[in-house]
Amino acid sequence: MKLLFGALCAFLVVLPALGFPTPEKEVPPQCIDPTFACQDLQSAKLCKVVKTCIHDVWSTMSVPDSNDEVCDICKEMVKEARDQLLSNMTQEEIKEVFEGSCKLLPVKLIADACIKVVDEIIPQLVEMLASRMDPTMVCTVSGMCFPSKEDMTVEVGFLFCDIY
């Protein structure tokens, strides 16, 4: 327990040194905590720190592979969209690729939720694709893959911190 607490403290000390921005006045007070702000894409958007989370936190995280159908489709969507981005597709064309893939999901409720997520976060998705984040991580922070939080690890320099 002391080791975990020490690692978390080190994580919280190192993030400001990496340039974690002070949240703007119009964001909720919990945004001052980088572990809240970067827990997922919705929190990062709320706290207005998406780019910081992408480049300073999520790109160094690893999550175990999730083996459910929705997660697998998401990872394929990310790979396909990344290829399209590299071939100079526009953001609108990438959005169409994602929405088309969402429509392939077998449960209409999940497919509709997928399309809603794509519509709401397409600029951030493009940013994540351009950052070369691991597809599993892109899908996890986007809410399409659900590994247990106990399995999430962040590497900051030489430190490893478990996120709970």
Side-chain angles (χ1 to χ4, degrees):
M1 186 67 157
K2 284 183 181 181
L3 181 61
L4 175 61
F5 181 71
L8 185 56
C9 288
F11 175 69
L12 293 175
V13 168
V14 170
L15 263 183
L18 293 173
F20 194 84
T22 304
E24 299 175 25
K25 289 181 182 174
E26 63 270 5
V27 299
Q30 65 265 35
C31 290
I32 195 108
D33 177 4
T35 57
F36 171 83
C38 293
Q39 70 182 342
D40 57 34
L41 188 55
Q42 287 182 332
S43 298
K45 279 181 66 174
L46 175 71
C47 297
K48 300 180 181 177
V49 292
V50 173
K51 286 185 180 189
T52 299
C53 292
I54 289 171
H55 298 288
D56 295 340
V57 180
W58 298 332
S59 63
T60 63
M61 289 179 81
S62 63
V63 290
D65 233 354
S66 181
N67 292 325
D68 66 69
E69 188 175 5
V70 172
C71 183
D72 290 342
I73 290 172
C74 179
K75 290 184 286 188
E76 286 304 314
M77 289 168 47
V78 168
K79 291 173 188 170
E80 184 178 332
R82 183 167 280 148
D83 290 342
Q84 301 302 327
L85 181 66
L86 295 174
S87 68
N88 295 322
M89 262 186 126
T90 67
Q91 183 170 301
E92 188 59 35
E93 291 169 319
I94 291 171
K95 178 181 171 185
E96 290 171 13
V97 169
F98 271 109
E99 287 179 345
S101 296
C102 288
K103 291 175 184 174
L104 298 175
L105 291 169
V107 179
K108 182 172 177 11
L109 183 65
I110 295 173
D112 291 345
C114 177
I115 291 169
K116 184 176 186 258
V117 167
V118 168
D119 289 345
E120 291 175 358
I121 65 171
I122 192 66
Q124 293 83 15
L125 281 172
V126 170
E127 181 81 22
M128 287 188 281
L129 293 171
S131 75
R132 306 296 293 167
M133 272 176 62
D134 176 70
T136 302
M137 193 67 215
V138 172
C139 295
T140 299
V141 300
S142 300
M144 302 302 286
C145 292
F146 303 100
S148 66
K149 287 193 173 190
E150 294 85 35
D151 294 332
M152 294 177 66
T153 303
V154 176
E155 179 182 345
V156 181
F158 60 89
L159 295 173
F160 291 88
C161 303
D162 292 325
I163 303 297
Y164 293 99

